[in-house]
Amino acid sequence: MKTFLFIIIVIFSGAAAGLIHGGVNLVFVEPLLDQAIGIENQHLFASGEEKDTPEFWIKYDGYRTWQKSGQALAGGILGISIGALFGIVFALSRNSLPGKTDMKKALVLAGVMWLTIYFIPFLKYPANPPTVGDPETIVLRGILYLIFIAISGFAAIGFYKLYQKLKTKKFIAVVGYAAFIGIVFVAMPENPDKITAPMDLVNNFRIMSAFTVSLYWLSLGIILGSLWHHYKPDKEILPFN
């Protein structure tokens, strides 16, 4: 393995996919966040915690401008962290992944990781805009979500090992994972917060969030697979005799 080249490919792939995610988020998710925060602001005004003054809106607009301007950068940083994990897993499992090209292998792995560490946890604990949820339960909600990701991810690894060992009836491993994660799905506690925001806003936010994250995984698979195929970091350079 050409270590330096591997690191460059992983960092570039993660950053590029993350920038795509951040840019798409800015277009599709941020307007929904503006609506949700607008509802929160009205609640603050109604409760007397804040006053509807020009000073409040100047401070608010400055804060939101700062948030939005950092969207692409945040996406790039997050993309690199997830891309590093993806690159390591791809390097270790590449030879056993289905597909005739590195692109297809990378897309298969991206699909599996998207399903196990994003989509299945998302179905149990879907993304909510800021106006949904009690601030006092944010830590609990975060812990539940991370626990579900860890369980799903490690279960996928365990059943993948079983899949490799089975010479026949490999479908048993797939069915086993589905049955296990189904039990975990039912056993895990529900989200403790009730939804009081308009359901149209909540559903649109969830759909757009799922779209942008899915686009990230697709982009990551395409970019890393293409670079891997072109530069072949797994091939050692043989010295001249």
Side-chain angles (χ1 to χ4, degrees), residues 7 63 68 70 85 90 96 152-153 168 172 177 199 213 222 234:
I7 293 173
Y63 176 69
K68 292 178 181 180
L85 173 63
F90 183 76
S96 59
S152 181
T168 60
I172 293 175
Y177 170 79
M199 282 307 301
V213 174
I222 292 174
D234 54 319

Side-chain angles (χ1 to χ4, degrees), residues 7 22 40 51 53 60 72 77 89 95 105 117 148 151 156 185 188 190 194 196 205 221-222 230:
I7 293 173
E40 271 195 332
K51 293 183 179 180
T53 62
Y60 168 77
I77 294 172
V89 175
N95 291 334
K105 289 175 181 288
I117 66 175
F148 200 99
I151 292 173
F185 194 97
M188 287 287 289
E190 296 294 329
K194 294 182 179 180
T196 56
F205 180 83
I222 292 174
H230 184 76

Side-chain angles (χ1 to χ4, degrees), residues 125 132-135 137-146 191-193:
Y125 301 112
V132 176
D134 187 338
T137 66
I138 190 170
V139 174
L140 173 61
R141 286 182 278 134
I143 290 173
L144 290 175
Y145 184 65
L146 291 175
N191 191 319
D193 293 324

